[in-house]
């Protein structure tokens, strides 16, 4: 019997691992794209494992903008500080592996809201928090939150594509200020 070494993960996932199943919103945003709320995690690594459908994940990092196609069997990996936006292409379903299970929900994730929202912790909390439960009110709040995050995201993406990473760096500093106490 021959022992073949297992391939190493590109980045290890220390700590507890959270596992969840998601699908991207099929609501169209201002840029004509149907998908989720762009955000980053400051200290957690995350991976998407595509279990069905098609779509993409758009990422922003100091290295620029990427649009990564997703199809069944694809894996997309995000290190801390990478903004990511899941885009619906048709019944996209993913399993999410998240480092530090529970930390993202407890304050690691920050939406890409415009700078004036990020500068005001109370305003940020008001637009980032969804009402409890399900139904029309929760869906409307999720749409508003997603649309505001897309607004900020599009400005960050435009700057990075133009070669200016200043707004992205300032977004990361604002995100760190927002969650520092957590």
């Amino acid at each position: 019997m021959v022992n073949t070494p297992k391939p190493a993960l590109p980045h290890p996932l220390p700590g507890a691992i959270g596992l969840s199943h998601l699908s991207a919103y099929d609501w169209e945003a201002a840029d004509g794209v149907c998908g989720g709320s762009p955000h980053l995690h400051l200290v957690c690594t995350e991976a998407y494992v595509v279990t069905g459908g098609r779509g993409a994940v758009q990422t922003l990092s100091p290295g620029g903008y990427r649009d990564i196609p997703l199809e069944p069997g694809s894996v997309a990996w995000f290190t801390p500080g990478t903004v990511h936006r899941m885009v619906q292409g048709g019944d996209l379903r993913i399993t999410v592996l998240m480092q530090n299970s529970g930390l993202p929900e407890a304050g690691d994730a920050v939406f890409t809201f415009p700078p004036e929202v990020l500068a005001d912790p109370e305003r940020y909390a008001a637009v980032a928090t969804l009402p409890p439960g399900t139904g029309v009110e929760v869906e409307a709040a999720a749409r508003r939150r997603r649309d505001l995050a897309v607004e900020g995201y599009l400005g960050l993406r435009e700057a990075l594509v133009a070669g200016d990473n200043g707004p992205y760096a300032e977004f990361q500093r604002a995100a760190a200020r927002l969650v520092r106490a957590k």
Side-chain angles (χ1 to χ4, degrees), residues 9 46 54 58 62 68 104:
L9 292 173
E46 181 178 15
R54 302 219 178 284
Q58 298 175 342
I68 304 163

Side-chain angles (χ1 to χ4, degrees), residues 1 6 12 15 17 21 44 51 73 76 86 94 109 117 125-126 135 177 179:
M1 179 174 182
K6 294 180 182 179
I17 306 283
H21 302 283
C44 292
T51 57
M86 186 169 49
I94 63 171
V117 177
R177 282 191 300 271
V179 301

Side-chain angles (χ1 to χ4, degrees), residues 13 18 20 22 37-48 57 60 76-86 94 96-112 124 168 171-172 175-176 179:
L13 287 171
S20 58
L22 298 176
S37 301
H39 64 282
L40 62 65
H41 301 279
L42 290 164
V43 296
C44 292
T45 295
E46 181 178 15
Y48 289 174
V57 62
L60 304 177
W77 194 275
F78 317 110
T79 55
T82 300
V83 170
H84 47 286
R85 176 190 190 195
M86 186 169 49
I94 63 171
V96 178
L97 298 162
M98 177 64 72
Q99 179 185 9
N100 297 317
S101 182
L103 179 59
E105 292 78 16
D108 172 59
V110 177
F111 294 104
T112 56
Y124 178 90
Y168 185 82
F171 166 71
Q172 287 187 318
V179 301

Side-chain angles (χ1 to χ4, degrees), residues 109-113 117-129 178:
V110 177
F111 294 104
T112 56
F113 295 148
V117 177
L118 296 168
D120 181 346
E122 289 179 13
R123 184 172 176 199
Y124 178 90
V127 295
T129 305
L178 274 171

